[in-house]
Amino acid sequence: MGRLEATISAGLWRALVDHAEKTREPLSHIVSKALAEYLQVSHHTLYQVSTATALVEGVYQGAVRVGTLRDHGDLGLGTFENLDGEMVVIDGRFFQVRSDGSVRECADDMLSPFAVVTRFVPDDAVTLRQCPDGFWTPDYAQTLNVPGYHLHFLSADRNRGGHLLQCRGSDLRLQIQREGDYHIALPETEDFLKADLHRDPAADLARAEGEKP
Ligand SMILES: [Zn+2]
C-alpha cells in the first residue's frame, strides 16, 4: 500500500472532513474511492481468467500474461501454465510458489490458465504485516470459481507459501472488500475451446483444493 501526502485547499479539506463525518468512512477510503473514479481504476471489480470448471477439466494452457493481470488487480490468486505452482498476489506483487516450496517473483510474460485478481481497497484502513489472501465465492457460482473460501498465503519473509487449508491464531484481523462487478476473460486457447464444460465441478474441486488424506 502507498502513502499519500498532499496539500489541498481549505474548502476541499472542509468538504472532505464533512463527508467523512457524515458517512463515518475513513479519509483514506474516501480519497481512494475518489482517485479510483478519477483515474478510472475500478476497485470493486473481480477480474478472472477462465473458470473453475475449465480448471478441473484440465485446461492448463496459459491464457493471460501476468502483465495483464497486473493491470487489473493488486491482490489475488491463481495458478500457472501446466499447473506449475500456486500464484499469490499481495500488495501488487505476483509470486509463484512451486511444488518444491520455492518462491519467486513473476515476470510479466509468465502465463496463467486461471487467476482471480482485484484492486483491494478494504473497508477499514488497518495495515497488516502479512496475511493470507483470497476470495469467498457463493455456491451458486461454483462453475465459475471455487465455492466458499479459497485462500493462498505467503510468509512474511516471502520464502514460503501456497494454498491455505486451515489456520489458527489469536488477535486475527480480517479485511474485506465486497465485489460489485465480475469480469471473466475466457481463454481462446485450444484446450479451453475444446473442453467439455458441462459437468458440475464441485466434487473435483473439493478433492483438488481440499485437504489430502
Ligand atoms: Zn488454491
Side-chain angles (χ1 to χ4, degrees), residues 86 150-152 163 209:
E86 306 266 9
H150 183 192
L151 301 168
H152 287 189
H163 181 91
E209 297 286 353

Side-chain angles (χ1 to χ4, degrees), residues 76-78 86-88 90 97 130-135 146-155 160-169 172-174 205-206 208-212:
L77 50 75
E86 306 266 9
M87 179 191 295
V88 188
I90 290 179
V97 184
Q130 61 138 338
C131 51
D133 75 89
F135 301 95
V146 179
Y149 288 101
H150 183 192
L151 301 168
H152 287 189
F153 80 100
L154 266 191
S155 60
R160 264 170 310 181
H163 181 91
L164 186 74
L165 294 171
Q166 50 172 270
C167 68
R168 191 180 295 194
L172 301 176
R173 274 182 293 184
L174 188 69
L205 275 177
E209 297 286 353
E211 248 178 305
K212 308 282 180 290

Side-chain angles (χ1 to χ4, degrees), residues 1-6 28 31 35 125 127:
M1 250 182 249
R3 266 188 75 79
L4 177 70
E5 208 166 287
S28 59
V31 171
L35 277 176
T127 306

Side-chain angles (χ1 to χ4, degrees), residues 70-101:
R70 265 187 231 282
D71 292 339
H72 290 94
D74 54 17
L75 176 144
L77 50 75
T79 187
F80 297 92
E81 187 151 56
N82 301 318
L83 288 193
D84 186 12
E86 306 266 9
M87 179 191 295
V88 188
V89 187
I90 290 179
D91 289 340
R93 294 173 68 187
F94 284 64
F95 296 91
Q96 178 188 26
V97 184
R98 305 181 92 163
S99 54
D100 64 2

